[in-house]
Amino acid sequence: MRAWVIGFFFMVSMGRAAAGEDIEAVLERSHAERLARFETASEFDPRVAVVRASFARLIAAVAPAAEIELRVVTGPVMAETLNGQVIVANAALARWPEGQRLFVLAHELGHVRHQHWSRMGLLFRQYIPGAVVPESTDPVAAVLSREASALAYEQELDADAYAFKVLQRMGIGFDAALGAFMNHGVQPDTATHPGTRKRVAHLRLAQQEEAARRARGQ
């Protein structure tokens, strides 16, 4: 999720950027503060073991080079990636079918593998190369918000496609991805996420392209 993209400008307008802080420091602190607000699920909660087992299965399938931390939490957020390498997953995912749970976790892993955090940071640094002060952020706020939103859309669809390919490799079909979207409920477009219908349509296109590729024997 990309809630911090929108919240960043509010934080700056409220004077929360320390004197002389650059954009990288502000973004890292924003993520750290958001991460600290999550309530970690008790390790005695049986749901934690279920989510961790699915994550271990996923990691075994993709063998990522970078170290990735999983935090199982409670609260309203279903899953999110912070600081480019911390995946937050809700303990409630334990009640989802395994394929759907794996899709959600693989989606977040896609954000890590494709370095979406770094790419978003580069966009912010392009517009705010120096100290984060209203004099430097106010003039670019509108255009940066638009571009950050567009990049967030691209990254969400990219993470969906990554998750779909990983699940295929694990022998899990398209229905798991579709079920994950339906389980979460049909969502409209937001500033940071394309709506459910757009995401499903994008995955169906990926499915068709994969079928065509296999038909060609590639």
Side-chain angles (χ1 to χ4, degrees), residues 92-178:
L93 284 170
R95 300 193 181 98
W96 291 29
E98 171 79 346
Q100 295 180 20
R101 184 166 56 252
L102 283 168
F103 180 81
V104 172
L105 294 171
H107 171 96
E108 298 305 327
L109 184 59
H111 286 310
V112 178
R113 292 296 297 270
H114 293 173
Q115 300 182 332
H116 289 165
W117 157 255
S118 297
R119 289 180 58 200
M120 188 65 75
L122 286 173
L123 174 64
F124 273 77
R125 285 193 293 274
Q126 176 185 339
Y127 283 94
I128 311 173
V132 178
V133 292
E135 292 78 9
S136 63
T137 60
D138 289 351
V140 301
V143 64
L144 178 52
S145 291
R146 286 195 300 271
E147 293 203 19
S149 181
L151 180 57
Y153 267 46
E154 176 188 324
Q155 291 181 344
E156 291 304 318
L157 296 177
D158 185 38
D160 284 345
Y162 173 86
F164 172 67
K165 290 179 181 178
V166 169
L167 262 62
Q168 277 200 317
R169 193 187 316 159
M170 298 173 70
I172 301 172
F174 181 82
D175 287 347
L178 184 60

Side-chain angles (χ1 to χ4, degrees), residues 51-64:
V51 175
R52 290 196 179 280
S54 294
F55 189 68
R57 181 184 174 192
L58 177 64
I59 292 297
V62 301

Side-chain angles (χ1 to χ4, degrees), residues 25-98:
V26 172
L27 292 176
E28 287 182 357
R29 181 159 54 81
S30 175
H31 269 213
E33 291 175 356
R34 181 166 177 77
L35 192 57
R37 287 195 294 271
F38 284 109
E39 182 177 350
T40 302
S42 169
E43 291 297 327
F44 296 104
D45 186 335
R47 298 177 301 171
V48 173
V50 174
V51 175
R52 290 196 179 280
S54 294
F55 189 68
R57 181 184 174 192
L58 177 64
I59 292 297
V62 301
E67 184 175 344
I68 301 167
E69 178 185 354
L70 174 70
R71 295 195 188 184
V72 184
V73 302
T74 60
V77 172
M78 191 56 62
E80 186 169 350
T81 301
L82 293 167
N83 279 332
Q85 62 182 21
V86 180
I87 293 177
V88 173
N90 200 300
L93 284 170
R95 300 193 181 98
W96 291 29
E98 171 79 346

